[in-house]
Amino acid sequence: MASGNRRVVVTQRFFDQATIDYLEAAGCEVVQADLPPGQADGNLTHVELRERLQGAAGWIVGHARVTRELLADLPDLKVISRRGVGYDRVDLNAARDLGRVVCIAVGGNHESVADHTIALMLAVGHRFRQTQEQMIGGNWSILLGSDLYRKTVGIIGLGRIGRSLVRRLSGFEAEILTCGGHHDAAYEDGAGIRRVGLDELLAQSDYVSLHAPLTSETRHIIGWDALVKMKRTAFLINAARGGLVDDEALLKALQMGVIAGAGLDVYLSEADAAFKPVTQALIELPNVIATPHSAASSREGLDRTNMVAARSVVAVLDGGDPAAECIVADGRGK
């Protein structure tokens, strides 16, 4: 085992004791950042992050922005390990230039996100929110909902989460369409998935579910032009990244009845506070089921991703390599 600095700072909430025990058994000093109630590490400023991370060799991070400036201010930091799979908030070029390793927690939370996606589909389709609000007010009249059973579901992004969703949808006897991303003909044929163009997917799907990474190509893949191609009875589900959807266009579409509803776990306002009024307007709509970027936050899912993130940290501090699928930047050769 490599010696030297093994201080690991965790800026995520819900970090389980078993993972802490694993890190300590590997000779790490574990420091959990003291965050005010209701605050996540994505809300911390550069100065606040720098203060909490001084002297750390490893950082297990959630949604904080990992900038070139921050990395330059933390010369002892060797490895940044995300408890999650997105890395659009990490400056990977800076990490490589400055000799750092950046990892993601592949394989930890995809089952939890797939469960949550099904929950969003059922909740918005069956109008759970509207029904309960009526009941609270004393109105027990029945609102007709929409089945998921034998409906057409368009999945944009067939990675681990998308494939986990496919397995769940088989129980609903859903017809599944997909477009974009990596084409695995053997898998798609075996799972009965039909690959189509985006326009056809939008036009035919009763539920459109986003599971793609946020890139320059996928940013705002669902904007006004896409929304007006969807069925008026269709639902949009986004448990991936806020930037995949133009939230202003979605708000307009929902208000005008262009689509029937939406299940949302992510929002543009997470990356840009200027969109907070749009997010607030969205979550107040009766035909929206909203959750606070919590799709991966089941007890079991967080325990799994905590451990995957921790194993990557230990591997780097030991002078070795994390699992290849977890590495998204490695500047140690510089």
Side-chain angles (χ1 to χ4, degrees):
M1 178 181 291
S3 60
N5 181 12
R6 299 181 74 84
R7 180 182 175 89
V8 177
V9 173
V10 180
T11 59
Q12 274 284 43
R13 294 186 181 279
F14 310 115
F15 203 72
D16 64 291
Q17 188 60 49
T19 305
I20 293 172
D21 292 345
Y22 164 78
L23 286 166
E24 291 180 342
C28 298
E29 174 197 0
V30 181
V31 179
Q32 293 184 269
D34 182 23
L35 299 178
Q39 187 177 52
D41 61 4
N43 304 121
L44 296 176
T45 67
H46 171 90
V47 172
E48 290 170 329
L49 287 169
R50 184 181 62 198
E51 289 174 351
R52 285 167 170 79
L53 291 162
Q54 281 299 324
W59 179 15
I60 296 178
V61 60
H63 298 287
R65 290 199 172 279
V66 185
T67 65
R68 183 178 294 272
E69 181 185 11
L70 180 63
L71 293 175
D73 283 348
L74 300 169
D76 297 320
L77 189 61
K78 297 179 180 179
V79 54
I80 302 97
S81 190
R82 273 223 64 231
R83 188 183 72 182
V85 295
Y87 48 88
D88 46 285
R89 294 190 174 197
V90 182
D91 188 334
L92 299 183
N93 289 330
R96 295 186 190 98
D97 292 344
L98 296 171
R100 317 303 169 83
V101 181
V102 180
C103 298
I104 56 176
V106 172
N109 64 15
H110 58 283
E111 304 291 4
S112 302
V113 177
D115 277 1
H116 196 95
T117 300
I118 292 289
L120 290 174
M121 289 179 176
L122 293 173
V124 70
H126 285 275
R127 303 173 74 179
F128 287 169
R129 172 182 176 174
Q130 291 163 282
T131 297
Q132 186 167 349
E133 286 178 348
Q134 280 194 176
M135 292 173 68
I136 290 170
N139 179 357
W140 283 53
S141 60
I142 294 172
L143 297 174
L144 293 181
S146 300
D147 281 344
L148 181 55
Y149 173 64
R150 290 191 173 177
K151 290 297 176 65
T152 299
V153 180
I155 301 177
I156 301 176
L158 268 180
R160 284 180 172 83
I161 296 170
R163 293 186 181 203
S164 292
L165 180 60
V166 168
R167 291 198 300 273
R168 286 155 176 78
L169 288 169
S170 67
F172 292 91
E173 299 180 23
E175 178 183 2
I176 300 173
L177 309 179
T178 192
C179 69
H182 175 66
H183 180 27
D184 185 338
Y187 165 73
E188 291 168 16
D189 290 345
I193 299 168
R194 187 156 60 91
R195 178 166 284 271
V196 297
L198 177 60
D199 287 352
E200 184 176 351
L201 182 147
L202 295 170
Q204 294 190 16
S205 297
D206 299 296
Y207 295 81
V208 174
S209 194
L210 301 174
H211 300 286
L214 180 59
T215 66
S216 58
E217 290 76 25
T218 61
R219 183 175 296 278
H220 289 186
I221 191 172
I222 302 297
W224 181 256
D225 289 346
L227 290 161
V228 296
K229 291 172 183 173
M230 292 174 62
K231 298 178 180 179
R232 293 182 69 87
T233 55
F235 303 95
L236 178 70
I237 309 296
N238 188 8
R241 286 291 179 269
L244 297 174
V245 177
D246 178 344
D247 282 356
E248 290 181 310
L250 176 60
L251 176 61
K252 180 181 176 183
L254 290 166
Q255 290 171 330
M256 295 176 60
V258 171
I259 63 172
L264 305 174
D265 186 54
V266 290
Y267 314 88
L268 277 175
S269 59
E270 294 177 82
D272 186 345
F275 285 95
K276 285 186 177 180
V278 177
T279 297
Q280 189 63 34
L282 279 169
I283 67 177
E284 289 177 0
L285 290 175
N287 55 343
V288 170
I289 295 291
T291 52
H293 203 149
S294 59
S297 296
S298 67
R299 292 181 180 87
E300 299 84 355
L302 291 182
D303 288 354
R304 290 191 296 266
T305 49
N306 286 339
M307 186 60 76
V308 175
R311 291 188 186 281
S312 291
V313 168
V314 169
V316 173
L317 297 186
D318 283 350
D321 294 321
E325 66 268 22
C326 292
I327 301 173
V328 292
D330 189 348
R332 289 176 296 180
K334 290 188 175 292

